[in-house]
Amino acid sequence: MSSTNASAYLQEALTILRENSFYRATIDWPTLEAQTWQQAEGAQQPEDVYPAIEFAIQQLNDGHSFFWPPAKVRAIQTGAEDSRNRQPTGCLIASDIAYLHVPDFMGSAAATPVYARTLQQIIAELDATGPAGWIVDLTDNTGGNLFPMIVGLGPLFDTEEIGAFIDANGTRIVWRYSAGQFIVGEGVCLAIAPPVVELQHRPARVAVLIGPSTGSSGEMVAVALRGQKHTRSFGQPTEGLTTANAPFDLSDGAQLLLTIAISADRTGQSYRTALLPDETIEGSAKTLQTAACAWLRHI
């Protein structure tokens, strides 16, 4: 590699991977780095190194880490891609069952609380009808930003502590939902301004719908509801990306979205791969909803 710019940039990325990757202790770093430098042979500028960085990420074997070039990062941060997001929706699918569709989300700082508040407002409107139970549909939630999903569903949680991340050292970093705030460890990840919705008809009976297109943050929402009383999941095994990614900025504005932890539910059960439903259901969305309704009415 002949360019100082490209060399420094690749070294920057490799250092981040080596110091932060969840499975870093199991990786043969001299071999990985030698192969990555070979991939970058002839690179002149940082952008010439992107394929080599993506190669190195693939060798981490976590199945979840990825790389965003500067243009992608800017598009997310400036809201240029906000229009691609779907908002949560909800309705009564029967006179006594409230249905919530909780889609994936990846948007700007301005769009994030909008998603959360929209979901809370839907819950408030449906709660006013006094439903016998709730269906939380995650079947096409492929992931993105977990924070607005948790805050949006906050009224349905029956306890403040709802899960945790477990890092490579075994440290448990607790997730909490409290009064419109999602708190991880000691840090507030997202907070919406009052008024914050509180469920009037408790306890909430919750059926969670999951499947192979439930991934990443979508899976973590399901994890947050695991172990809650009067809660059961229906469907098929999820995608298997139950690990946590964190962003690491590179000097040209690109980001490494790097797996740094696994998830755990409130009971302490940890997850590295797919979530299995409590009740396996094959068939259409209607079939899942019918099974969920039957359970909600008879628990």
Side-chain angles (χ1 to χ4, degrees), residues 169-186:
N169 298 318
T171 302
R172 189 169 182 269
I173 306 157
V174 172
W175 312 340
R176 290 183 290 130
Y177 171 79
S178 178
Q181 299 181 96
F182 182 42
I183 304 162
V184 176
E186 299 301 319

Side-chain angles (χ1 to χ4, degrees), residues 262-275:
I262 60 174
S263 59
D265 63 30
R266 64 184 71 188
T267 74
Q269 175 66 49
S270 61
Y271 302 90
R272 295 172 186 252
T273 56
L275 294 179

Side-chain angles (χ1 to χ4, degrees), residues 169-235:
N169 298 318
T171 302
R172 189 169 182 269
I173 306 157
V174 172
W175 312 340
R176 290 183 290 130
Y177 171 79
S178 178
Q181 299 181 96
F182 182 42
I183 304 162
V184 176
E186 299 301 319
V188 176
C189 297
L190 179 65
I192 58 173
V196 173
V197 172
E198 293 186 10
L199 207 66
Q200 301 303 306
H201 298 90
R202 289 187 175 275
R205 300 174 178 180
V206 183
V208 182
L209 307 186
I210 58 175
S213 294
T214 308
S216 190
S217 292
E219 291 171 288
M220 290 186 189
V221 173
V223 167
L225 286 160
R226 292 235 158 169
Q228 178 161 306
K229 293 180 181 178
H230 313 297
T231 299
R232 187 170 179 80
S233 59
F234 298 80

Side-chain angles (χ1 to χ4, degrees), residues 14-268:
L14 287 171
T15 299
I16 291 171
L17 299 184
R18 188 166 192 161
E19 292 179 353
N20 297 283
S21 171
F22 183 76
Y23 295 113
R24 57 187 178 271
T26 68
I27 293 170
D28 178 353
W29 287 103
T31 298
L32 184 153
E33 292 184 4
Q35 292 173 341
T36 303
W37 284 104
Q38 188 174 17
Q39 292 281 326
E41 187 67 33
Q44 299 294 314
Q45 300 298 327
E47 56 266 30
D48 300 330
V49 176
Y50 295 168
I53 293 173
E54 291 176 334
F55 168 83
I57 287 172
Q58 291 171 359
Q59 311 316 305
L60 300 178
N61 295 321
D62 60 45
H64 198 184
S65 296
F66 57 96
F67 171 81
W68 271 350
K72 176 68 172 181
V73 176
R74 286 194 300 271
I76 295 292
Q77 293 177 344
T78 63
E81 294 196 356
D82 283 350
S83 61
R84 297 187 180 187
N85 286 306
R86 299 169 292 165
Q87 287 298 311
T89 56
C91 63
L92 289 174
I93 61 171
S95 61
D96 58 340
I97 304 295
Y99 170 87
L100 299 172
H101 177 236
V102 183
D104 45 85
F105 173 83
M106 180 58 75
S108 66
T112 301
V114 173
Y115 179 110
R117 187 168 293 286
T118 297
L119 186 48
Q120 284 212 357
Q121 289 173 341
I122 293 168
I123 290 173
E125 292 167 5
L126 294 175
D127 184 39
T129 70
W134 298 80
I135 293 176
V136 175
D137 188 347
L138 303 170
T139 53
D140 64 350
N141 185 324
T142 57
N145 187 341
L146 174 65
F147 307 155
M149 302 174 197
I150 293 291
V151 173
L153 288 172
L156 297 186
F157 295 120
D158 66 357
T159 187
E160 188 171 300
E161 185 175 323
I162 55 175
F165 294 128
I166 301 174
D167 69 15
N169 298 318
T171 302
R172 189 169 182 269
I173 306 157
V174 172
W175 312 340
R176 290 183 290 130
Y177 171 79
S178 178
Q181 299 181 96
F182 182 42
I183 304 162
V184 176
E186 299 301 319
V188 176
C189 297
L190 179 65
I192 58 173
V196 173
V197 172
E198 293 186 10
L199 207 66
Q200 301 303 306
H201 298 90
R202 289 187 175 275
R205 300 174 178 180
V206 183
V208 182
L209 307 186
I210 58 175
S213 294
T214 308
S216 190
S217 292
E219 291 171 288
M220 290 186 189
V221 173
V223 167
L225 286 160
R226 292 235 158 169
Q228 178 161 306
K229 293 180 181 178
H230 313 297
T231 299
R232 187 170 179 80
S233 59
F234 298 80
Q236 296 289 314
T238 60
E239 185 178 3
L241 300 177
T242 50
T243 48
N245 283 1
F248 293 86
D249 294 332
L250 294 173
S251 54
D252 68 341
Q255 280 186 346
L256 297 171
L257 286 301
L258 190 61
T259 296
I260 62 165
I262 60 174
S263 59
D265 63 30
R266 64 184 71 188
T267 74

